[in-house]
Amino acid sequence: MKKVLALLLALAFVACQSSKEIVVDETGRGLIAEKAMVVSAHPLASEVGKEIMQKGGNAVDAAIAVQFALAVVYPGAGNIGGGGFMMTRMADGSIDALDYREKAPLAGGRNMYIGENGEVIPQSSTRGHLAAGVPGSVAGFEAAYKKYGSLPWADLVQPAIDLAANGWALTEKEAGKLNSNRTNFIKYNTINPDFFLKENEDEKWQAGEIVKTPEMAATLSRIRDNGRDGFYKGETARLIVEEMKRGGGIISLQDLEEYEAVWRKPITGTYRGYDFISMPPPSSGGIALAQLLQSVEPYDLGSFGFHSEKSVHLIVEAERRVYADRATHLGDPDFFDVPRNGLLDKKYQSDRMKNFDPLKASKSAEIRAGAPAPKESEETTHLSVVDPKGNAVSVTTTLNGGMGSKVFVGGAGFLLNNEMDDFSVKPGTPNMYGLVGGEANSIQPGKRMLSSMTPSIVSKDGKLFMVVGTPGGSTIITSVFQTIINVIDYDMGMQEAVSAPRFHHQWLPDVVMFERDAIDSTDARWASLTEMGHNLIKRGTIGRVDAILVLPDGRLEGGADHRGDDAAAGY
Ligand code: DON
């Protein structure tokens, strides 16, 4: 198995020559650093984070600066017009969870995407001005800074301003995304968005081309000078509201002024002697990750073998049950009583797995959400940071779909999210990730939409062990889960665990999705899983995990996902 993985890694390396920071040697290890590391979706952003720490900044400073930089060089998901979650674990063991998820505008409501025929208006929650939730990112960065930041605020924003003003080179993937979104940009924008459109339709963006975004540089300068007020008040707020008015959107000045990031109590749990922390609601990620780990813990996954029929079957059956719970029990805790403790109870998980048949797939149609004890009175990107003192930050942030709502704020140079589609826009109607939901995740003014983002940190015996997370919509939870078990149960290194192929089941639709290089349909395992009753399909890549592992000697190993341009930087 190790040999096969080493070969896959070698192939991935050849395919990723442009991402020079992904170091894969014959042992399959990723980039190794002595002191500090950042792994993010873009090499330039990872470099920004590294430089912040070399200047004496801590992991939170670095995470903030990396997010500002990603908003420039990785505009399809890095953002100031979206939202996210930040998990922190300081060197002294203290933990925190920051929620800067978007909110439904005050003028929004349960039936805002339902047409006269009672059906969801196609693409109304995914594209255009009405798809955008009230952005939370800048409020989140400031809240994190106020509590943990150490360098001057301006130092954290300036690298992004420099990138926007002086320009950066497009990677091949980024050039392709801009070219394929041209029609959308024209259709959904009211005025020409900054640099993003080539004047001539026949002209294509090329890898290596230098681009500049002066409007974004100006917006970021307002944020550098005025903190969150540079976004939620004054010129930027005025530009957002004018954009809304031109395009039929409903985000108001009041929505912007009232937006607050919220510190929440992290989800904590144990797995085979390791401790983990992850994001609580309004993300489903932390609770679902805990449920998945608890569901498989009684079984010796390691001896079952990586991607053996026995492992895949067990994991799929756990995922099926956990995603059924997600659809019913999880939503914004400020609006819905989430049965957090009931869902996190190990006994509850063992009850849910009681009808697990090791030889036969269950049918999702026959698996319903469980009944946990009631409450006593979720395009995205992830970054992982560890600083020289051992402080760790795990951030997942999103515009939702690639390029969000496709709407740029005219004159301000940034994209708005289409996060409203993460609500259950109509009970039982699948969202863009095929997820269904009900009352817990219905739209209400000011409510946060349920997320799957799962920024997580694992420790052992009180010491930092792993920082992990990924984008991928509904597949986020299963990708984080599988990366953790790849290391703990299947004995992989960090880069190996990140590069290893993945699969996913989310209760509905009742299919197991395999990455193309995971299990081939001519493989005996494919036939035997089908025989058990699983519906297997192949799909493109699942997730883009960026993670850091603390090695036994204290050095750091980066796992940067070859599925994207992701890169580790460290020193
Ligand atoms: O919060 C969520 O769960 C989604 N908006 C995440 C979207 C995502 O990961 C898309 N990236 N590939």
Side-chain angles (χ1 to χ4, degrees), residues 101 326 378-380 398 400 419 422 433 450-453 471-473 476:
R101 181 72 165 165
R326 180 194 191 280
E378 167 79 66
E379 185 137 348
T380 305
T398 185
N400 197 19
E419 221 72 63
D422 274 352
Y433 303 106
L450 184 64
S451 173
S452 300
M453 294 188 289
I476 291 175

Side-chain angles (χ1 to χ4, degrees), residues 417-494:
N417 67 83
N418 59 342
E419 221 72 63
M420 292 296 285
D421 189 62
D422 274 352
F423 277 117
S424 173
V425 299
K426 188 179 173 203
T429 301
N431 74 358
M432 71 164 98
Y433 303 106
L435 292 166
V436 290
E439 184 52 36
N441 191 29
S442 65
I443 307 175
Q444 292 175 57
K447 186 176 175 181
R448 286 162 152 96
M449 54 296 280
L450 184 64
S451 173
S452 300
M453 294 188 289
T454 315
S456 303
I457 302 176
V458 184
S459 57
K460 180 138 203 265
D461 302 329
K463 291 200 185 104
L464 181 65
F465 180 70
M466 192 194 302
V467 187
V468 58
T470 183
S474 56
T475 67
I476 291 175
I477 302 164
T478 49
S479 298
V480 170
F481 166 58
Q482 289 174 32
T483 306
I484 292 174
I485 61 173
N486 283 353
V487 173
I488 294 180
D489 290 280
Y490 301 122
D491 204 21
M492 296 185 196
M494 195 72 266

Side-chain angles (χ1 to χ4, degrees), residues 70 78 115 322 331 446 483:
L70 284 169
V322 167
T483 306

